[in-house]
Amino acid sequence: MARLELQGVSHAYVEGDYAVRDIDLTWEEGVASALLGPSGSGKTTVLKIISGLLRPSEGRVLLDGVDVTDRSPQERNVAQVFQFPVVYETLTVFDNLAFPLRNQGQRGSAVRKRVHEVAEILGLEDVLRRNANRLGAAEQQRVSLGRGIVRSDISAVLLDEPLTVIDPQEKWRLRRQLRALHGRTGMTMIYVTHDQQEALTFADQVTVMDVGRAVQTGSPQDLHERPADPFVGYFIGSPGMNLFDAQLGEDGLHVGGVRLPLDAEGRERLAPNREALQVGIRPEFVDARPQRFDGALEGVIDAVDMTGHALIAHVSGADLTFKAKLPEDAAVRAGDEVWFAFPPARVNVYADRKRVEGLP
């Protein structure tokens, strides 16, 4: 396994039109990481640059501190698992898994031992003698993954949307197997996806990408509770973060009819960006109740969405419209009065689209 670094990486497929820009990322040895973002955000381009399939227009790629920017994929020993399973359909599962080892010149008991180890990890022991063309899509993807990890000299495993073609029930099972695989092998894994659930349940470290930039890297909890950019707050979560324009006043930060108190130091920090201030709070952190409570403002429920494990109330009040997540057994409906507050500890303040630490 290896420590991976991208230093000042940018790439333009067409001169002047950058697919990724100014990427500085580090993946420590043995990390389970994800690149998360919408289609076109640059995730796959980053993966190709790591693997060596693409040389960046600018910047460097390092493995364990060694510059490998000009090295081929074979020299980097990086395995890649693609969106569609890559298997030799006329070969048995055993021979598919053994192929990378035999290609290295390994033979006999060493190959059998390693193939059975990988098959046991991935639940393929019962189909080792079956031809790959007789497998379902989920089994074929496990074979494809097994071919990626069967070699012991692999620096990292790169997974590019590996569950896209898998049906929903199998997705859950295969994602658990991927997580268990990482736990057992300690391999450095980077998982590319547009699906936040896949990324947040697989990875310990997630990088959110948007329009070719790495917007934020952190744990799933960091991304959820402290999104560094309004885009992260919107993209992570279901539903995403409520976001409001804010005005700086002498007595605090004003969001519609809501006032968030600020001390003199806080007002001074925000003053240079007073024309570009925003406040975000996640629906689950809005304090919304059917009865009045201290410090609460009055609102009305415009609509209620049922999600299966919670209710999402669409609320109007204090010159704002926003979403609040309520318990699934909450007895509320459209037209009901509601009292609400934005707990300051749960609020994120943004100045020129960058989160301001320590406020309000």
Side-chain angles (χ1 to χ4, degrees):
M1 293 299 102
R3 182 177 192 265
L4 306 178
E5 295 176 78
L6 300 183
Q7 296 182 348
V9 165
S10 299
H11 186 73
Y13 291 98
V14 178
E15 186 175 353
D17 185 11
Y18 283 89
V20 295
R21 189 108 192 210
D22 301 326
I23 303 292
D24 290 290
L25 289 173
T26 299
W27 293 273
E28 297 295 341
E29 181 178 345
V31 71
S33 184
L35 288 173
L36 172 66
S39 178
S41 60
K43 308 181 300 294
T44 297
T45 297
V46 169
L47 216 63
K48 288 179 178 178
I49 289 171
I50 294 171
S51 69
L53 294 174
L54 190 65
R55 192 194 187 285
S57 305
E58 302 166 22
R60 302 195 305 162
V61 182
L62 284 79
L63 291 180
D64 285 335
V66 177
D67 189 340
V68 297
T69 310
D70 294 316
R71 293 189 184 179
S72 68
Q74 292 76 15
E75 292 174 299
R76 299 185 191 194
N77 287 332
V78 172
Q80 190 156 356
V81 179
F82 297 94
Q83 177 177 335
F84 297 98
V86 178
V87 297
Y88 298 116
E89 293 191 347
T90 59
L91 299 182
T92 65
V93 172
F94 183 96
D95 288 333
N96 265 277
L97 296 177
F99 187 87
L101 302 176
R102 290 169 175 164
N103 205 37
Q104 285 185 316
Q106 297 187 44
R107 295 291 184 270
S109 61
V111 171
R112 289 192 296 274
K113 182 175 184 294
R114 183 57 180 163
V115 166
H116 281 282
E117 286 175 354
V118 170
E120 192 270 328
I121 291 172
L122 293 172
L124 293 170
E125 291 177 297
D126 293 340
V127 295
L128 281 174
R129 297 303 170 189
R130 188 178 301 174
N131 272 24
N133 60 6
R134 295 175 53 204
L135 302 178
E139 288 178 315
Q140 286 192 349
Q141 192 63 294
R142 290 206 297 273
V143 174
S144 186
L145 178 61
R147 285 179 44 180
I149 69 169
V150 72
R151 287 169 48 193
S152 59
D153 61 343
I154 291 298
S155 299
V157 180
L158 312 180
L159 303 116
D160 191 2
E161 303 271 10
L163 304 184
T164 300
V165 299
I166 310 301
D167 70 66
Q169 292 299 321
E170 287 293 338
K171 276 187 180 183
W172 285 98
R173 185 177 296 109
L174 190 49
R175 189 160 63 239
R176 286 198 305 270
Q177 288 178 324
L178 283 172
R179 186 65 189 176
L181 172 64
H182 177 263
R184 291 186 59 172
T185 65
M187 287 185 165
T188 302
M189 290 187 172
I190 303 175
Y191 187 112
V192 162
T193 181
H194 65 276
D195 186 321
Q196 62 168 296
Q197 187 178 46
E198 288 184 11
L200 299 179
T201 55
F202 168 77
D204 300 315
Q205 170 187 303
V206 179
T207 296
V208 178
M209 297 194 64
D210 184 38
V211 291
R213 296 183 183 271
V215 181
Q216 182 177 2
T217 298
S219 68
Q221 183 177 359
D222 288 337
L223 300 178
H224 186 263
E225 296 185 3
R226 294 173 292 278
D229 179 285
F231 172 79
V232 178
Y234 173 79
F235 192 72
I236 300 288
S238 182
M241 185 173 67
N242 296 300
L243 189 67
F244 314 101
D245 291 333
Q247 290 75 44
L248 184 62
E250 291 301 320
D251 58 345
L253 200 57
H254 293 263
V255 183
V258 177
R259 183 181 70 85
L260 300 170
L262 290 173
D263 58 19
E265 180 187 355
R267 292 195 300 274
E268 184 177 343
R269 290 173 64 191
L270 294 180
N273 298 101
R274 63 170 59 247
E275 301 302 320
L277 298 177
Q278 294 176 298
V279 162
I281 184 169
R282 292 203 174 276
E284 53 267 44
F285 297 150
V286 175
D287 189 354
R289 312 180 200 176
Q291 300 87 22
R292 184 194 298 266
F293 59 96
D294 289 346
L297 296 169
E298 186 176 7
V300 63
I301 296 177
D302 298 320
V304 178
D305 298 331
M306 301 186 68
T307 66
H309 61 279
L311 302 179
I312 305 300
H314 298 251
V315 180
S316 297
D319 297 323
L320 299 172
T321 59
F322 56 90
K323 297 181 179 67
K325 185 174 285 189
L326 306 174
E328 61 179 332
D329 58 353
V332 296
R333 59 184 179 179
D336 285 355
E337 182 182 75
V338 66
W339 296 86
F340 70 92
F342 297 163
R346 294 298 197 176
V347 168
N348 292 285
V349 178
Y350 299 95
D352 195 22
R353 299 190 66 81
K354 294 184 178 66
R355 184 176 183 274
V356 183
E357 297 288 342
L359 293 181

